[in-house]
Amino acid sequence: MSCFCAVCCAQPKQDIEPRQYIAYKTSESISIDGRGSEASWDKAEWTNLFIDIEGDKKPKYDTKVKMLWDEQYYYILAKMDEPHVWADLKQRDTIIFYNNDFEVFIDPDSDSYNYYELEINALNTVWDLFLTKPYRENPKILNDWDINGLKSAVTIQGTLNNSKDIDEGWTLEIAIPFAAYKTSYFHKNVPVDSFWRVNFSRVNWQHDLSNGKYSRKKGEDGKFIPEYNWVWSPMGVINMHEPEKWGYVYFSSKEIGGKDAFEIPQDEKIKWQMFSLYRAQKSYKNKNKVWASSLSELVDNDIKVDGKVLKPVLENHSTGYNISVKSPFSNKTLIIKENGELSEIK
């Protein structure tokens, strides 16, 4: 979706649970050619079909993804049905979502800060960027940051920019080097038998044709008709930049073709509740011009996770607040601040 969308356009749906996927390890050499023809890809399972970003409408065209990994790369194969495959943006780091595109969002440590975005269109033009925090907290956006070593390729099931035929769609294959996301020289960040928070978005525009050339469709008011946003893990709002709602990709050390299991950790579910309190505090501040000083001003009932009642503590201070919860599952103390930054103390 629009990378610069900072305002939610609907109230979040509280019953949406992030989707999960197990990415298995491959020892096969993966050629990034946009075809996904290796045996490992044949063994990998597709995700659920994408859903509308708010989670309540079936998209007009199907989108699905497969994932793999090895010691160097995180591999993504995306297949998008589309009867009119078109693109005209060719310059790297231009605003790619002004074309139909495919987008990848990654938060490796699940704290909603310091995350990565990648957008690619059917011409294989790349926009990659780094955000220090979500738009709701006015982040620094490093648009000149690059995923060093990124590989990507597109194949068209039809013909690109040809209005005289009907296409089947396009396939995008991506290899993201784990090293591009290292935060220090000695950082060992390959997530073996652990998870990253990940989501995928597909932007799709209604189009006009003029002399056989595609462009985004405008309404009677002369403004572009809003794009469709189709995603893997629904957000409940028209805003991709709420990383706490993204899906969970578990990087299994088992070879593709094997079988593994993954359950979302209970402390992650506590984090969901803490972000709900954070959003409630934001709403309270917008309405009352001050932060709530008591949790009873934010919630009416006990907060429970897997049958356990949480006991959050709210502490106000001169510049904001902290809400802390001691996990009944791990005994870690989880803390969220007024700026949405999440941390934990063991």
Side-chain angles (χ1 to χ4, degrees):
M1 67 169 286
S2 168
C3 183
F4 296 114
C5 178
V7 180
C8 301
C9 300
Q11 291 300 310
K13 300 172 177 61
Q14 300 299 328
D15 57 348
I16 292 177
E17 182 169 313
R19 287 184 172 170
Q20 309 165 44
Y21 186 91
I22 297 177
Y24 289 95
K25 189 175 184 181
T26 179
S27 57
E28 185 178 15
S29 178
I30 303 295
S31 175
I32 304 303
D33 55 11
R35 302 183 185 281
S37 56
E38 288 83 2
S40 293
W41 281 129
D42 289 340
K43 294 176 183 177
E45 294 184 358
W46 291 107
T47 61
N48 301 82
L49 291 177
F50 282 26
I51 189 73
D52 180 78
I53 190 169
E54 292 181 275
D56 55 3
K57 294 190 288 285
K58 183 181 184 299
K60 188 173 184 179
Y61 307 124
D62 287 350
T63 310
K64 55 188 178 181
V65 169
K66 292 182 177 185
M67 290 170 259
L68 295 166
W69 70 280
D70 60 23
E71 293 297 334
Q72 286 187 288
Y73 294 102
Y74 172 26
Y75 299 104
I76 299 165
L77 184 71
K79 182 173 176 55
M80 292 157 278
D81 292 351
E82 171 59 67
H84 298 278
V85 182
W86 66 276
D88 59 8
L89 297 175
K90 300 178 181 180
Q91 181 179 340
R92 188 180 179 122
D93 289 338
T94 190
I95 303 176
I96 296 301
F97 65 78
Y98 286 169
N99 282 173
N100 295 341
D101 77 355
F102 184 82
E103 305 178 355
V104 182
F105 298 83
I106 296 175
D107 178 13
D109 58 6
S110 188
D111 68 350
S112 85
Y113 267 50
N114 299 320
Y115 62 90
Y116 308 90
E117 181 176 356
L118 169 66
E119 303 187 6
I120 303 178
N121 67 6
L123 279 168
N124 197 30
T125 308
V126 169
W127 184 17
D128 45 4
L129 58 159
F130 171 81
L131 295 93
T132 57
K133 50 190 173 181
Y135 283 104
R136 63 196 175 205
E137 294 294 341
N138 300 315
K140 295 185 185 302
I141 304 165
L142 304 184
N143 193 50
D144 57 353
W145 176 85
D146 288 336
I147 303 176
N148 291 327
L150 174 72
K151 300 179 183 179
S152 62
V154 170
T155 56
I156 311 296
Q157 289 75 59
T159 51
L160 181 66
N161 293 327
N162 185 350
S163 61
K164 297 180 180 179
D165 66 358
I166 299 297
D167 307 310
E168 293 180 18
W170 57 296
T171 302
L172 171 63
E173 190 173 17
I174 304 170
I176 298 174
F178 290 113
Y181 295 161
K182 291 175 67 171
T183 57
S184 67
Y185 183 81
F186 293 105
H187 183 198
K188 296 181 180 180
N189 70 327
V190 180
V192 183
D193 292 328
S194 61
F195 65 84
W196 278 0
R197 301 300 301 275
V198 176
N199 212 349
F200 305 106
S201 173
R202 175 183 174 184
V203 168
N204 198 272
W205 297 87
Q206 296 184 53
H207 65 267
D208 273 328
L209 277 172
S210 178
N211 297 320
K213 185 178 181 180
Y214 290 97
S215 63
R216 290 182 290 161
K217 189 177 182 68
K218 294 182 177 180
E220 294 180 357
D221 59 1
K223 297 180 180 180
F224 291 113
I225 296 173
E227 74 277 19
Y228 295 109
N229 297 281
W230 302 328
V231 304
W232 169 48
S233 193
M235 300 294 294
V237 293
I238 305 176
N239 182 3
M240 284 301 295
H241 292 270
E242 295 191 350
E244 67 274 12
K245 297 179 182 178
W246 295 347
Y248 289 80
V249 175
Y250 180 77
F251 295 82
S252 172
S253 60
K254 294 183 182 297
E255 185 77 12
I256 183 66
K259 195 68 177 176
D260 207 344
F262 169 71
E263 291 186 4
I264 296 174
Q266 291 162 315
D267 279 8
E268 287 293 305
K269 298 178 183 179
I270 294 176
K271 291 179 183 179
W272 305 346
Q273 298 298 330
M274 296 183 75
F275 275 107
S276 291
L277 291 173
Y278 158 79
R279 284 189 284 272
Q281 267 283 43
K282 264 194 172 301
S283 178
Y284 187 94
K285 177 74 177 293
N286 289 337
K287 181 178 180 180
N288 299 286
K289 310 306 179 187
V290 294
W291 298 113
S293 57
S294 169
L295 286 169
S296 63
E297 297 174 285
L298 303 178
V299 291
D300 297 325
N301 303 309
D302 288 341
I303 301 172
K304 295 182 179 181
V305 169
D306 289 351
K308 298 285 188 179
V309 177
L310 305 182
K311 298 179 180 179
V313 176
L314 170 60
E315 299 173 283
N316 288 54
H317 52 77
S318 60
T319 58
Y321 67 86
N322 292 339
I323 298 176
S324 60
V325 174
K326 186 172 183 179
S327 167
F329 308 106
S330 68
N331 285 324
K332 294 177 182 177
T333 298
L334 306 177
I335 303 168
I336 196 165
K337 296 165 58 177
E338 71 284 339
N339 60 4
E341 186 175 6
L342 193 69
S343 60
E344 59 183 51
I345 301 173
K346 296 183 180 179

